[in-house]
Amino acid sequence: MQTQMLQSFPNRQWFYVKRPVGRVTGEHFDLRETELSGALAANEVVVKARYISVDPYMRIQQHERNTYDVPHPLGIVQRAGTVGQIVATNSDKFKDGDWVLGYNGWQMFAKCHASEVQKLDSDAAPVSTALGVLGMPGRTAWFGLMEAGRPRPGETVVVSGAAGAVGSLVAQFAKRAGCRVFGIAGGAAKCDFLVDKLHLDGALDYKKYQSREALSAEIVRLTNGVDIYFDNVGGMITDAVIPNIKLRARVIICGAISQYDGGLDEPDLGPRFLQHLLFQRATIQGILARDYTQRMDEMTKIVAPWVRNKEIVFEETIVDGFEKLPECLNSLFEGKNLGKLLVRV
Ligand SMILES: NC(=O)c1ccc[n+]([C@@H]2O[C@H](COP(=O)([O-])OP(=O)(O)OC[C@H]3O[C@@H](n4cnc5c(N)ncnc54)[C@H](OP(=O)(O)O)[C@@H]3O)[C@@H](O)[C@H]2O)c1
């Protein structure tokens, strides 16, 4: 295949330029008008973004020290999952207009190797689900619950961050596994969503509780003990749940969003309430979506039909406007989203 000359694409790119100390805001990014032109080598394609993801992990990667990743470098386009369409191709695998999933970051146009994008079947499911229920958040929820949680019918599951992208799926997967499921989320509207739309057995608005003790008392009253705690938020909520775990409970650490805007750099003095793991001979396990990337098919084989038949709720909060990306990332920490937060461009 010959190298092709490209037409010029007027690009917009958000560069990550400054490490946040607390909350991530617009000042940590720089919006640049650039141009994508030049040549398209063999097997390269150009993708125009349509949906761009904002995810809490971005804030983890913005820390200065290593986490499960080296820190996101400064001075490059903010990395992110994207769904877009092919607008130029020098590959047999793609034609113009094909929908693809990629990791092209916060930019309108991206040139990449054909092997870096994955074709999407827009008839099988809404393409945006590749960034949500049929993408990384879905994979996290599925393998985190099924492999680390090992749910059994009749067990009691508590999910924190339950109205979000990962949490709302974990909660529904646990219901389908025959568990009693309780969700913890911020605000009455989200709690109503958990009970009325997701049909959970109960929901708890953590914002109504000022102390760990009060929240903990409500959790025990509601659940009568917890077999599986799927944790997305950490902090006071986790402190309130752990003393209520039952014998052989499984605690799954998926995320700790309450700690991302500073708390990861200055964590609590030590692990709190871990004595309860001793008392209950429980296990605690961290899980990471990328560890299951190669097993994505296992999950989609089961979950895609549920999506197709609308047997599960895959709520999306969609914000329009490329310029809104930093604002949207920040809004995750204010709980403005229900389900998966996406920016449509
Ligand atoms: N381990 C992995 O591989 C993996 C993969 C994906 C995501 N995660 C983690 O899973 C968690 C959820 O991610 P997501 O993509 O599904 O995001 P999300 O839940 O859709 O959005 C974040 C939500 O977190 C809640 N939140 C924000 N600040 C909080 C605080 N201080 N205390 C309690 N809740 C707070 C907000 O809901 P409320 O309105 O209810 O407060 C907000 O809507 C994050 O911690 C993320 O890092 C981990």
Side-chain angles (χ1 to χ4, degrees), residues 56 140 164-166 185-186 190 206 232 254-256 258 260 287-289 332 335 337 339:
T140 308
V166 173
K190 287 192 178 184
Y206 71 88
N232 286 309
C254 173
S258 71
Y260 292 175
I287 55 118
L288 193 60
L332 284 169
N337 61 305

Side-chain angles (χ1 to χ4, degrees), residues 222-293:
L222 207 60
T223 66
N224 206 20
V226 179
D227 294 294
I228 298 175
Y229 173 43
F230 194 103
D231 187 17
N232 286 309
V233 306
M236 185 183 95
I237 294 173
T238 298
D239 280 1
V241 177
I242 286 186
N244 296 312
I245 56 174
K246 287 161 68 173
L247 194 67
R248 311 272 177 222
R250 284 82 74 199
V251 175
I252 300 144
I253 306 298
C254 173
I257 194 167
S258 71
Q259 308 299 299
Y260 292 175
D261 56 1
L264 289 184
D265 295 325
E266 288 178 40
D268 289 343
L269 281 181
R272 295 163 61 103
F273 305 113
L274 288 192
Q275 68 275 23
H276 292 278
L277 276 89
L278 161 66
F279 303 159
Q280 303 301 339
R281 281 80 92 204
T283 55
I284 186 163
Q285 182 181 340
I287 55 118
L288 193 60
R290 72 174 64 156
D291 293 345
Y292 300 102
T293 305

Side-chain angles (χ1 to χ4, degrees), residues 18-34:
K18 186 177 169 194
R19 295 203 183 283
V21 175
R23 187 64 69 80
V24 58
T25 63
E27 67 166 311
H28 304 107
F29 298 96
D30 188 23
L31 179 56
R32 298 184 193 162
E33 312 270 338
T34 56

